[in-house]
Amino acid sequence: MEGEFGTRLRFEMQVEAPQTLPFLRGDLNESLGGRLAAAHFGVFDYTAAIGLPPHEQRLDHPACDHARHVMQTAFAGTGVELSDGSLAASPASDRTADVHALWRRHADLVRHSLRHGYYQGWDMHPSHLVSRFATVYAFHLARYDAYRERVLAWQERRDAGGGVMDEPATIRTLAAALRRADQALP
């Protein structure tokens, strides 16, 4: 549906009910006229709905990994952006030790998401911005030079070294990782 000025109204969805997962499929965005811009994982509603006890309602629970992998499979190649859930925690006090403990916990969750291919997430507390920035920056830069060398070796049709044999799909993934790293840099 075209808007008044010829632009299409796009929307984002929240995936937080387990009953949503069976409806996620590759043609969902197409059936919506390509208007679905993003899908966000709602960790707390999802984990509560499947009956997890409060201490297990966490982003790195295997049930959350499953839901996010279903989202990835359903939206792969569709252009729908994925966003991970959040950590519902703030520093226990203003003490340095408490702030650092929260940053460590949040950084662990952000790394978990990054390792699973979720490059965006949302945060519930301003203190999370520090740990998110540092973790995303470190994650993307840790392998930047090695990824760059592999892409260059592929382009120049030479051995990348280290016993690595890349193929086109991996090169596309390496190039995408380099683009994300370039975007993460200040």
Side-chain angles (χ1 to χ4, degrees):
M1 181 171 154
E2 296 286 329
E4 179 180 348
F5 301 104
T7 59
R8 299 178 69 161
L9 179 63
R10 299 204 56 190
F11 65 95
E12 300 180 4
M13 69 181 288
Q14 183 84 6
V15 176
E16 52 189 19
Q19 295 82 3
T20 306
L21 294 181
F23 294 102
L24 300 180
R25 55 188 195 281
D27 64 344
L28 177 62
N29 189 37
E30 186 178 318
S31 69
L32 296 171
R35 295 182 298 138
L36 183 61
H40 306 273
F41 182 60
V43 60
F44 303 108
D45 289 310
Y46 183 83
T47 54
I50 63 173
L52 292 182
H55 68 279
E56 291 294 336
Q57 293 179 357
R58 55 188 169 80
L59 197 54
D60 57 353
H61 191 280
C64 294
D65 290 342
H66 168 74
R68 288 192 311 268
H69 292 160
V70 169
M71 291 171 63
Q72 284 175 308
T73 302
F75 294 120
T78 65
V80 174
E81 295 286 333
L82 298 178
S83 179
D84 210 353
S86 60
L87 169 65
S90 61
S93 74
D94 289 337
R95 291 183 21 238
T96 301
D98 288 336
V99 173
H100 289 182
L102 176 69
W103 284 349
R104 276 190 300 280
R105 177 67 181 132
H106 185 247
D108 287 344
L109 292 173
V110 171
R111 260 189 306 281
H112 182 84
S113 297
L114 291 167
R115 284 192 309 268
H116 284 262
Y118 272 75
Y119 303 108
Q120 296 180 31
W122 46 283
D123 300 310
M124 295 177 70
H125 191 272
S127 67
H128 299 169
L129 297 176
V130 174
S131 46
R132 178 168 301 278
F133 178 81
T135 304
V136 168
Y137 187 80
F139 179 85
H140 288 303
L141 291 183
R143 293 175 182 84
Y144 187 88
D145 292 335
Y147 287 1
R148 185 174 175 276
E149 176 55 30
R150 287 170 64 183
V151 171
L152 288 173
W154 174 268
Q155 291 170 339
E156 296 169 359
R157 302 193 188 290
R158 62 177 169 79
D159 184 7
V164 174
M165 293 179 59
D166 287 316
E167 49 95 48
T170 301
I171 293 299
R172 286 190 299 274
T173 304
L174 290 165
L178 291 171
R179 283 191 299 277
R180 280 191 298 277
D182 287 338
Q183 292 170 352
L185 294 172

